[in-house]
Amino acid sequence: MKPKSPTESSAVLAELVLPYQANPAGNVHGGEIMKMMDSTAGVASQKHAHTNVVTARVEEINFKQPVLVGDLVTCCANVIYAGFSSMEVFVTVESENLRSGGKQIALTAFFTMVSLDEDGNPSEVPPVVAEDDPYWRKLYLEGQKRYEARRKRRSR
Ligand SMILES: CC(C)(COP(=O)(O)OP(=O)(O)OC[C@H]1O[C@@H](n2cnc3c(N)ncnc32)[C@H](O)[C@@H]1OP(=O)(O)O)[C@@H](O)C(=O)NCCC(=O)NCCS
């Protein structure tokens, strides 16, 4: 299969946060953001594999900054590493205060998405190529490490 770069699988989803998604103090529920992240990871992995994909795992979800009602939330996802049928997707969430224009990375996470064939069995995906760019290369190598560590744990 022809390798693909993380920029080929790039997906972006943006949404204005409304009061029903938040607690009474105006802080957005973590689950609302996680749902957006999952959808964005789903699109990125489908752009990579062109198959049905399911979420198998979420790792290192770090809520760094609060997201508040009225913020514009933008999720960006890229496939940074692929095994045989699994893809690791790096998702970042930026929140933007539309009055002040202030922006920050509110959270990040790594999603593992698995490609399924028409019978629902794991199916092969293209490898990721990330040699040219030090940013994607670093994420690729970190993704490879997590993939190998997971495989070791699963085989025990
Ligand atoms: C994900 C799923 C298809 C894997 O099925 P499985 O029988 O374990 O398949 P395999 O053992 O052949 O693993 C397939 C790939 O998934 C990876 N994988 C499976 N479970 C994983 C997990 N918990 N975390 C990370 N990767 C996982 C394997 O490492 C393997 O990767 P590779 O092909 O790149 O080497 C299956 O567990 C499933 O359907 N889970 C539910 C998914 C779902 O419904 N998600 C939505 C949540 S509501």
Side-chain angles (χ1 to χ4, degrees), residues 38 53-59 81-87 112-116 120-123 125 147 150-151 154:
D38 193 29
V53 299
V54 289
T55 311
R57 187 184 194 88
V58 185
E59 268 179 283
Y81 181 78
F84 177 77
S85 66
S86 67
M87 294 158 276
T112 303
M113 314 298 286
V114 178
S115 163
L116 301 179
N121 298 314
S123 60
V125 299
Y147 171 78
R150 280 194 301 270
R151 272 171 69 95
R154 272 162 67 82

PDB file of all heavy atoms in Angstrom, residues 38 53-59 81-87 112-116 120-123 125 147 150-151 154, ligand 1:
ATOM      1  N   ASP A  38     -13.144  12.706  19.137  1.00  0.00           N
ATOM      2  CA  ASP A  38     -13.369  11.373  18.580  1.00  0.00           C
ATOM      3  C   ASP A  38     -13.847  11.483  17.131  1.00  0.00           C
ATOM      4  O   ASP A  38     -13.368  10.760  16.248  1.00  0.00           O
ATOM      5  CB  ASP A  38     -14.404  10.651  19.462  1.00  0.00           C
ATOM      6  CG  ASP A  38     -14.492   9.174  19.181  1.00  0.00           C
ATOM      7  OD1 ASP A  38     -13.478   8.582  18.756  1.00  0.00           O
ATOM      8  OD2 ASP A  38     -15.570   8.594  19.388  1.00  0.00           O
ATOM      9  N   VAL A  53     -13.958   2.804  10.357  1.00  0.00           N
ATOM     10  CA  VAL A  53     -12.984   2.771  11.461  1.00  0.00           C
ATOM     11  C   VAL A  53     -13.719   2.853  12.793  1.00  0.00           C
ATOM     12  O   VAL A  53     -14.800   3.439  12.864  1.00  0.00           O
ATOM     13  CB  VAL A  53     -11.955   3.935  11.385  1.00  0.00           C
ATOM     14  CG1 VAL A  53     -11.135   3.880  10.118  1.00  0.00           C
ATOM     15  CG2 VAL A  53     -12.639   5.266  11.520  1.00  0.00           C
ATOM     16  N   VAL A  54     -13.126   2.229  13.822  1.00  0.00           N
ATOM     17  CA  VAL A  54     -13.686   2.344  15.174  1.00  0.00           C
ATOM     18  C   VAL A  54     -12.592   2.807  16.140  1.00  0.00           C
ATOM     19  O   VAL A  54     -11.400   2.585  15.896  1.00  0.00           O
ATOM     20  CB  VAL A  54     -14.281   1.000  15.687  1.00  0.00           C
ATOM     21  CG1 VAL A  54     -15.563   0.645  14.963  1.00  0.00           C
ATOM     22  CG2 VAL A  54     -13.269  -0.133  15.594  1.00  0.00           C
ATOM     23  N   THR A  55     -13.032   3.424  17.213  1.00  0.00           N
ATOM     24  CA  THR A  55     -12.081   3.872  18.242  1.00  0.00           C
ATOM     25  C   THR A  55     -11.755   2.688  19.143  1.00  0.00           C
ATOM     26  O   THR A  55     -12.665   2.053  19.687  1.00  0.00           O
ATOM     27  CB  THR A  55     -12.729   4.983  19.117  1.00  0.00           C
ATOM     28  OG1 THR A  55     -13.308   5.947  18.257  1.00  0.00           O
ATOM     29  CG2 THR A  55     -11.719   5.626  20.038  1.00  0.00           C
ATOM     30  N   ALA A  56     -10.470   2.386  19.293  1.00  0.00           N
ATOM     31  CA  ALA A  56     -10.058   1.278  20.162  1.00  0.00           C
ATOM     32  C   ALA A  56      -9.504   1.787  21.484  1.00  0.00           C
ATOM     33  O   ALA A  56      -9.574   1.093  22.505  1.00  0.00           O
ATOM     34  CB  ALA A  56      -9.010   0.419  19.464  1.00  0.00           C
ATOM     35  N   ARG A  57      -8.932   2.986  21.481  1.00  0.00           N
ATOM     36  CA  ARG A  57      -8.232   3.446  22.682  1.00  0.00           C
ATOM     37  C   ARG A  57      -8.009   4.958  22.628  1.00  0.00           C
ATOM     38  O   ARG A  57      -7.838   5.525  21.547  1.00  0.00           O
ATOM     39  CB  ARG A  57      -6.865   2.752  22.715  1.00  0.00           C
ATOM     40  CG  ARG A  57      -6.066   2.961  23.957  1.00  0.00           C
ATOM     41  CD  ARG A  57      -4.692   2.299  23.809  1.00  0.00           C
ATOM     42  NE  ARG A  57      -4.061   2.203  25.090  1.00  0.00           N
ATOM     43  CZ  ARG A  57      -4.218   1.191  25.932  1.00  0.00           C
ATOM     44  NH1 ARG A  57      -4.971   0.181  25.591  1.00  0.00           N
ATOM     45  NH2 ARG A  57      -3.620   1.177  27.091  1.00  0.00           N
ATOM     46  N   VAL A  58      -8.008   5.556  23.814  1.00  0.00           N
ATOM     47  CA  VAL A  58      -7.623   6.975  23.926  1.00  0.00           C
ATOM     48  C   VAL A  58      -6.537   7.047  24.989  1.00  0.00           C
ATOM     49  O   VAL A  58      -6.713   6.514  26.094  1.00  0.00           O
ATOM     50  CB  VAL A  58      -8.803   7.878  24.347  1.00  0.00           C
ATOM     51  CG1 VAL A  58      -8.375   9.343  24.330  1.00  0.00           C
ATOM     52  CG2 VAL A  58      -9.998   7.668  23.423  1.00  0.00           C
ATOM     53  N   GLU A  59      -5.423   7.694  24.640  1.00  0.00           N
ATOM     54  CA  GLU A  59      -4.293   7.771  25.580  1.00  0.00           C
ATOM     55  C   GLU A  59      -3.857   9.201  25.795  1.00  0.00           C
ATOM     56  O   GLU A  59      -3.971  10.025  24.877  1.00  0.00           O
ATOM     57  CB  GLU A  59      -3.100   7.006  25.004  1.00  0.00           C
ATOM     58  CG  GLU A  59      -3.051   5.563  25.434  1.00  0.00           C
ATOM     59  CD  GLU A  59      -1.867   4.841  24.814  1.00  0.00           C
ATOM     60  OE1 GLU A  59      -1.962   4.501  23.631  1.00  0.00           O
ATOM     61  OE2 GLU A  59      -0.862   4.633  25.513  1.00  0.00           O
ATOM     62  N   TYR A  81       0.899   7.581  13.068  1.00  0.00           N
ATOM     63  CA  TYR A  81       1.580   6.288  12.983  1.00  0.00           C
ATOM     64  C   TYR A  81       0.534   5.232  12.619  1.00  0.00           C
ATOM     65  O   TYR A  81      -0.624   5.336  13.029  1.00  0.00           O
ATOM     66  CB  TYR A  81       2.249   5.924  14.325  1.00  0.00           C
ATOM     67  CG  TYR A  81       2.964   4.607  14.248  1.00  0.00           C
ATOM     68  CD1 TYR A  81       4.212   4.512  13.637  1.00  0.00           C
ATOM     69  CD2 TYR A  81       2.368   3.430  14.720  1.00  0.00           C
ATOM     70  CE1 TYR A  81       4.844   3.297  13.496  1.00  0.00           C
ATOM     71  CE2 TYR A  81       3.001   2.205  14.586  1.00  0.00           C
ATOM     72  CZ  TYR A  81       4.242   2.147  13.973  1.00  0.00           C
ATOM     73  OH  TYR A  81       4.873   0.942  13.819  1.00  0.00           O
ATOM     74  N   ALA A  82       0.941   4.234  11.853  1.00  0.00           N
ATOM     75  CA  ALA A  82       0.027   3.132  11.543  1.00  0.00           C
ATOM     76  C   ALA A  82       0.727   1.805  11.742  1.00  0.00           C
ATOM     77  O   ALA A  82       1.910   1.653  11.407  1.00  0.00           O
ATOM     78  CB  ALA A  82      -0.457   3.242  10.099  1.00  0.00           C
ATOM     79  N   GLY A  83       0.006   0.849  12.335  1.00  0.00           N
ATOM     80  CA  GLY A  83       0.494  -0.531  12.420  1.00  0.00           C
ATOM     81  C   GLY A  83      -0.032  -1.276  11.205  1.00  0.00           C
ATOM     82  O   GLY A  83       0.055  -0.773  10.075  1.00  0.00           O
ATOM     83  N   PHE A  84      -0.608  -2.477  11.422  1.00  0.00           N
ATOM     84  CA  PHE A  84      -1.217  -3.205  10.299  1.00  0.00           C
ATOM     85  C   PHE A  84      -2.632  -2.679  10.036  1.00  0.00           C
ATOM     86  O   PHE A  84      -2.920  -2.191   8.942  1.00  0.00           O
ATOM     87  CB  PHE A  84      -1.236  -4.719  10.587  1.00  0.00           C
ATOM     88  CG  PHE A  84      -1.921  -5.493   9.500  1.00  0.00           C
ATOM     89  CD1 PHE A  84      -1.273  -5.740   8.289  1.00  0.00           C
ATOM     90  CD2 PHE A  84      -3.233  -5.947   9.662  1.00  0.00           C
ATOM     91  CE1 PHE A  84      -1.924  -6.427   7.260  1.00  0.00           C
ATOM     92  CE2 PHE A  84      -3.884  -6.637   8.642  1.00  0.00           C
ATOM     93  CZ  PHE A  84      -3.229  -6.873   7.441  1.00  0.00           C
ATOM     94  N   SER A  85      -3.466  -2.719  11.079  1.00  0.00           N
ATOM     95  CA  SER A  85      -4.851  -2.245  10.896  1.00  0.00           C
ATOM     96  C   SER A  85      -5.177  -1.062  11.804  1.00  0.00           C
ATOM     97  O   SER A  85      -6.254  -0.492  11.711  1.00  0.00           O
ATOM     98  CB  SER A  85      -5.828  -3.384  11.205  1.00  0.00           C
ATOM     99  OG  SER A  85      -5.758  -3.738  12.580  1.00  0.00           O
ATOM    100  N   SER A  86      -4.243  -0.728  12.700  1.00  0.00           N
ATOM    101  CA  SER A  86      -4.520   0.357  13.640  1.00  0.00           C
ATOM    102  C   SER A  86      -3.770   1.614  13.229  1.00  0.00           C
ATOM    103  O   SER A  86      -2.711   1.549  12.610  1.00  0.00           O
ATOM    104  CB  SER A  86      -4.129  -0.058  15.067  1.00  0.00           C
ATOM    105  OG  SER A  86      -2.735  -0.210  15.163  1.00  0.00           O
ATOM    106  N   MET A  87      -4.357   2.749  13.610  1.00  0.00           N
ATOM    107  CA  MET A  87      -3.742   4.047  13.301  1.00  0.00           C
ATOM    108  C   MET A  87      -3.724   4.862  14.581  1.00  0.00           C
ATOM    109  O   MET A  87      -4.723   4.898  15.305  1.00  0.00           O
ATOM    110  CB  MET A  87      -4.594   4.794  12.272  1.00  0.00           C
ATOM    111  CG  MET A  87      -4.637   4.133  10.922  1.00  0.00           C
ATOM    112  SD  MET A  87      -6.103   4.651   9.983  1.00  0.00           S
ATOM    113  CE  MET A  87      -7.334   3.527  10.641  1.00  0.00           C
ATOM    114  N   THR A 112      -6.370   5.702  19.224  1.00  0.00           N
ATOM    115  CA  THR A 112      -6.070   4.567  18.346  1.00  0.00           C
ATOM    116  C   THR A 112      -7.355   4.167  17.647  1.00  0.00           C
ATOM    117  O   THR A 112      -8.349   3.838  18.311  1.00  0.00           O
ATOM    118  CB  THR A 112      -5.514   3.360  19.129  1.00  0.00           C
ATOM    119  OG1 THR A 112      -4.354   3.772  19.834  1.00  0.00           O
ATOM    120  CG2 THR A 112      -5.142   2.219  18.182  1.00  0.00           C
ATOM    121  N   MET A 113      -7.336   4.242  16.319  1.00  0.00           N
ATOM    122  CA  MET A 113      -8.493   3.880  15.513  1.00  0.00           C
ATOM    123  C   MET A 113      -8.137   2.617  14.730  1.00  0.00           C
ATOM    124  O   MET A 113      -6.997   2.481  14.249  1.00  0.00           O
ATOM    125  CB  MET A 113      -8.836   5.008  14.525  1.00  0.00           C
ATOM    126  CG  MET A 113      -8.850   6.409  15.126  1.00  0.00           C
ATOM    127  SD  MET A 113     -10.053   6.682  16.433  1.00  0.00           S
ATOM    128  CE  MET A 113     -11.572   6.765  15.527  1.00  0.00           C
ATOM    129  N   VAL A 114      -9.103   1.698  14.613  1.00  0.00           N
ATOM    130  CA  VAL A 114      -8.840   0.447  13.889  1.00  0.00           C
ATOM    131  C   VAL A 114      -9.728   0.387  12.645  1.00  0.00           C
ATOM    132  O   VAL A 114     -10.937   0.655  12.710  1.00  0.00           O
ATOM    133  CB  VAL A 114      -9.061  -0.774  14.804  1.00  0.00           C
ATOM    134  CG1 VAL A 114      -8.847  -2.079  14.047  1.00  0.00           C
ATOM    135  CG2 VAL A 114      -8.097  -0.723  15.997  1.00  0.00           C
ATOM    136  N   SER A 115      -9.099   0.033  11.539  1.00  0.00           N
ATOM    137  CA  SER A 115      -9.799  -0.097  10.255  1.00  0.00           C
ATOM    138  C   SER A 115     -10.475  -1.462  10.181  1.00  0.00           C
ATOM    139  O   SER A 115      -9.862  -2.489  10.519  1.00  0.00           O
ATOM    140  CB  SER A 115      -8.748   0.029   9.145  1.00  0.00           C
ATOM    141  OG  SER A 115      -9.259  -0.464   7.937  1.00  0.00           O
ATOM    142  N   LEU A 116     -11.728  -1.462   9.745  1.00  0.00           N
ATOM    143  CA  LEU A 116     -12.463  -2.726   9.624  1.00  0.00           C
ATOM    144  C   LEU A 116     -12.908  -2.944   8.180  1.00  0.00           C
ATOM    145  O   LEU A 116     -13.288  -1.982   7.498  1.00  0.00           O
ATOM    146  CB  LEU A 116     -13.710  -2.705  10.526  1.00  0.00           C
ATOM    147  CG  LEU A 116     -13.481  -2.497  12.027  1.00  0.00           C
ATOM    148  CD1 LEU A 116     -14.813  -2.480  12.760  1.00  0.00           C
ATOM    149  CD2 LEU A 116     -12.565  -3.572  12.616  1.00  0.00           C
ATOM    150  N   GLY A 120     -16.336  -6.654   9.185  1.00  0.00           N
ATOM    151  CA  GLY A 120     -16.076  -6.190  10.566  1.00  0.00           C
ATOM    152  C   GLY A 120     -14.759  -6.702  11.126  1.00  0.00           C
ATOM    153  O   GLY A 120     -14.524  -6.594  12.334  1.00  0.00           O
ATOM    154  N   ASN A 121     -13.885  -7.229  10.266  1.00  0.00           N
ATOM    155  CA  ASN A 121     -12.572  -7.703  10.736  1.00  0.00           C
ATOM    156  C   ASN A 121     -11.514  -6.627  10.488  1.00  0.00           C
ATOM    157  O   ASN A 121     -11.597  -5.904   9.499  1.00  0.00           O
ATOM    158  CB  ASN A 121     -12.165  -8.977   9.982  1.00  0.00           C
ATOM    159  CG  ASN A 121     -13.138 -10.105  10.235  1.00  0.00           C
ATOM    160  OD1 ASN A 121     -13.528 -10.345  11.380  1.00  0.00           O
ATOM    161  ND2 ASN A 121     -13.561 -10.769   9.180  1.00  0.00           N
ATOM    162  N   PRO A 122     -10.483  -6.553  11.389  1.00  0.00           N
ATOM    163  CA  PRO A 122      -9.417  -5.571  11.187  1.00  0.00           C
ATOM    164  C   PRO A 122      -8.795  -5.730   9.798  1.00  0.00           C
ATOM    165  O   PRO A 122      -8.534  -6.848   9.343  1.00  0.00           O
ATOM    166  CB  PRO A 122      -8.410  -5.910  12.297  1.00  0.00           C
ATOM    167  CG  PRO A 122      -9.247  -6.527  13.375  1.00  0.00           C
ATOM    168  CD  PRO A 122     -10.311  -7.308  12.647  1.00  0.00           C
ATOM    169  N   SER A 123      -8.588  -4.601   9.108  1.00  0.00           N
ATOM    170  CA  SER A 123      -8.070  -4.648   7.732  1.00  0.00           C
ATOM    171  C   SER A 123      -6.867  -3.718   7.591  1.00  0.00           C
ATOM    172  O   SER A 123      -6.755  -2.707   8.289  1.00  0.00           O
ATOM    173  CB  SER A 123      -9.167  -4.254   6.739  1.00  0.00           C
ATOM    174  OG  SER A 123      -9.616  -2.951   6.998  1.00  0.00           O
ATOM    175  N   VAL A 125      -4.059  -1.054   6.632  1.00  0.00           N
ATOM    176  CA  VAL A 125      -4.094   0.381   6.288  1.00  0.00           C
ATOM    177  C   VAL A 125      -2.733   0.783   5.707  1.00  0.00           C
ATOM    178  O   VAL A 125      -1.720   0.116   5.949  1.00  0.00           O
ATOM    179  CB  VAL A 125      -4.409   1.257   7.533  1.00  0.00           C
ATOM    180  CG1 VAL A 125      -5.769   0.915   8.103  1.00  0.00           C
ATOM    181  CG2 VAL A 125      -3.322   1.151   8.596  1.00  0.00           C
ATOM    182  N   TYR A 147       2.847   2.049  20.237  1.00  0.00           N
ATOM    183  CA  TYR A 147       2.268   0.893  19.542  1.00  0.00           C
ATOM    184  C   TYR A 147       3.000  -0.381  19.967  1.00  0.00           C
ATOM    185  O   TYR A 147       2.370  -1.387  20.315  1.00  0.00           O
ATOM    186  CB  TYR A 147       2.386   1.116  18.035  1.00  0.00           C
ATOM    187  CG  TYR A 147       2.028  -0.078  17.183  1.00  0.00           C
ATOM    188  CD1 TYR A 147       0.700  -0.415  16.952  1.00  0.00           C
ATOM    189  CD2 TYR A 147       3.017  -0.869  16.591  1.00  0.00           C
ATOM    190  CE1 TYR A 147       0.364  -1.509  16.166  1.00  0.00           C
ATOM    191  CE2 TYR A 147       2.697  -1.959  15.808  1.00  0.00           C
ATOM    192  CZ  TYR A 147       1.374  -2.278  15.595  1.00  0.00           C
ATOM    193  OH  TYR A 147       1.058  -3.369  14.815  1.00  0.00           O
ATOM    194  N   ARG A 150       2.189  -1.321  23.557  1.00  0.00           N
ATOM    195  CA  ARG A 150       0.835  -1.898  23.662  1.00  0.00           C
ATOM    196  C   ARG A 150       0.840  -3.340  23.181  1.00  0.00           C
ATOM    197  O   ARG A 150       0.221  -4.204  23.785  1.00  0.00           O
ATOM    198  CB  ARG A 150      -0.146  -1.099  22.788  1.00  0.00           C
ATOM    199  CG  ARG A 150      -0.646   0.190  23.406  1.00  0.00           C
ATOM    200  CD  ARG A 150      -1.841   0.736  22.664  1.00  0.00           C
ATOM    201  NE  ARG A 150      -1.623   1.017  21.259  1.00  0.00           N
ATOM    202  CZ  ARG A 150      -1.198   2.184  20.775  1.00  0.00           C
ATOM    203  NH1 ARG A 150      -0.962   3.177  21.606  1.00  0.00           N
ATOM    204  NH2 ARG A 150      -1.037   2.362  19.486  1.00  0.00           N
ATOM    205  N   ARG A 151       1.555  -3.599  22.086  1.00  0.00           N
ATOM    206  CA  ARG A 151       1.606  -4.962  21.545  1.00  0.00           C
ATOM    207  C   ARG A 151       2.240  -5.919  22.554  1.00  0.00           C
ATOM    208  O   ARG A 151       1.764  -7.034  22.733  1.00  0.00           O
ATOM    209  CB  ARG A 151       2.393  -4.989  20.240  1.00  0.00           C
ATOM    210  CG  ARG A 151       1.519  -4.712  19.043  1.00  0.00           C
ATOM    211  CD  ARG A 151       2.339  -4.534  17.811  1.00  0.00           C
ATOM    212  NE  ARG A 151       2.964  -5.801  17.403  1.00  0.00           N
ATOM    213  CZ  ARG A 151       2.428  -6.622  16.504  1.00  0.00           C
ATOM    214  NH1 ARG A 151       1.286  -6.342  15.934  1.00  0.00           N
ATOM    215  NH2 ARG A 151       3.051  -7.734  16.162  1.00  0.00           N
ATOM    216  N   ARG A 154      -0.265  -6.578  25.266  1.00  0.00           N
ATOM    217  CA  ARG A 154      -1.356  -7.441  24.805  1.00  0.00           C
ATOM    218  C   ARG A 154      -0.919  -8.884  24.645  1.00  0.00           C
ATOM    219  O   ARG A 154      -1.696  -9.809  24.838  1.00  0.00           O
ATOM    220  CB  ARG A 154      -1.915  -6.926  23.467  1.00  0.00           C
ATOM    221  CG  ARG A 154      -3.017  -5.895  23.643  1.00  0.00           C
ATOM    222  CD  ARG A 154      -3.233  -5.118  22.366  1.00  0.00           C
ATOM    223  NE  ARG A 154      -3.782  -5.917  21.272  1.00  0.00           N
ATOM    224  CZ  ARG A 154      -5.074  -6.196  21.116  1.00  0.00           C
ATOM    225  NH1 ARG A 154      -5.944  -5.770  21.999  1.00  0.00           N
ATOM    226  NH2 ARG A 154      -5.494  -6.915  20.094  1.00  0.00           N
TER     227      ARG A 154
HETATM  228  C1  LIG B   1     -10.881  -2.584  18.057  1.00  0.00           C
HETATM  229  C2  LIG B   1     -11.268  -4.020  17.748  1.00  0.00           C
HETATM  230  C3  LIG B   1     -11.860  -4.089  16.332  1.00  0.00           C
HETATM  231  C4  LIG B   1      -9.995  -4.854  17.804  1.00  0.00           C
HETATM  232  O1  LIG B   1     -10.362  -6.168  17.627  1.00  0.00           O
HETATM  233  P1  LIG B   1      -9.373  -7.384  18.004  1.00  0.00           P
HETATM  234  O2  LIG B   1     -10.112  -8.646  17.877  1.00  0.00           O
HETATM  235  O3  LIG B   1      -8.657  -7.071  19.280  1.00  0.00           O
HETATM  236  O4  LIG B   1      -8.391  -7.324  16.796  1.00  0.00           O
HETATM  237  P2  LIG B   1      -6.827  -7.569  16.784  1.00  0.00           P
HETATM  238  O5  LIG B   1      -6.322  -8.226  18.018  1.00  0.00           O
HETATM  239  O6  LIG B   1      -6.549  -8.224  15.464  1.00  0.00           O
HETATM  240  O7  LIG B   1      -6.252  -6.084  16.748  1.00  0.00           O
HETATM  241  C5  LIG B   1      -6.418  -5.279  15.598  1.00  0.00           C
HETATM  242  C6  LIG B   1      -5.569  -4.056  15.775  1.00  0.00           C
HETATM  243  O8  LIG B   1      -6.128  -3.242  16.788  1.00  0.00           O
HETATM  244  C7  LIG B   1      -5.172  -2.960  17.784  1.00  0.00           C
HETATM  245  N1  LIG B   1      -5.888  -2.918  19.056  1.00  0.00           N
HETATM  246  C8  LIG B   1      -6.839  -3.765  19.480  1.00  0.00           C
HETATM  247  N2  LIG B   1      -7.282  -3.386  20.689  1.00  0.00           N
HETATM  248  C9  LIG B   1      -6.599  -2.271  21.014  1.00  0.00           C
HETATM  249  C10 LIG B   1      -6.606  -1.404  22.132  1.00  0.00           C
HETATM  250  N3  LIG B   1      -7.402  -1.593  23.174  1.00  0.00           N
HETATM  251  N4  LIG B   1      -5.763  -0.355  22.134  1.00  0.00           N
HETATM  252  C11 LIG B   1      -4.955  -0.104  21.079  1.00  0.00           C
HETATM  253  N5  LIG B   1      -4.912  -0.890  19.986  1.00  0.00           N
HETATM  254  C12 LIG B   1      -5.718  -1.962  19.967  1.00  0.00           C
HETATM  255  C13 LIG B   1      -4.186  -4.111  17.717  1.00  0.00           C
HETATM  256  O9  LIG B   1      -2.915  -3.736  18.236  1.00  0.00           O
HETATM  257  C14 LIG B   1      -4.137  -4.352  16.234  1.00  0.00           C
HETATM  258  O10 LIG B   1      -3.301  -3.387  15.633  1.00  0.00           O
HETATM  259  P3  LIG B   1      -2.421  -3.727  14.305  1.00  0.00           P
HETATM  260  O11 LIG B   1      -3.295  -4.475  13.347  1.00  0.00           O
HETATM  261  O12 LIG B   1      -2.074  -2.370  13.775  1.00  0.00           O
HETATM  262  O13 LIG B   1      -1.231  -4.486  14.743  1.00  0.00           O
HETATM  263  C15 LIG B   1     -12.316  -4.580  18.760  1.00  0.00           C
HETATM  264  O14 LIG B   1     -11.736  -4.646  20.039  1.00  0.00           O
HETATM  265  C16 LIG B   1     -13.585  -3.752  18.816  1.00  0.00           C
HETATM  266  O15 LIG B   1     -14.455  -3.875  17.967  1.00  0.00           O
HETATM  267  N6  LIG B   1     -13.710  -2.881  19.845  1.00  0.00           N
HETATM  268  C17 LIG B   1     -14.864  -1.996  19.936  1.00  0.00           C
HETATM  269  C18 LIG B   1     -14.641  -0.755  19.072  1.00  0.00           C
HETATM  270  C19 LIG B   1     -15.785   0.207  19.207  1.00  0.00           C
HETATM  271  O16 LIG B   1     -16.928  -0.154  19.084  1.00  0.00           O
HETATM  272  N7  LIG B   1     -15.462   1.473  19.442  1.00  0.00           N
HETATM  273  C20 LIG B   1     -16.418   2.468  19.696  1.00  0.00           C
HETATM  274  C21 LIG B   1     -16.543   2.607  21.150  1.00  0.00           C
HETATM  275  S1  LIG B   1     -18.187   2.759  21.685  1.00  0.00           S
END
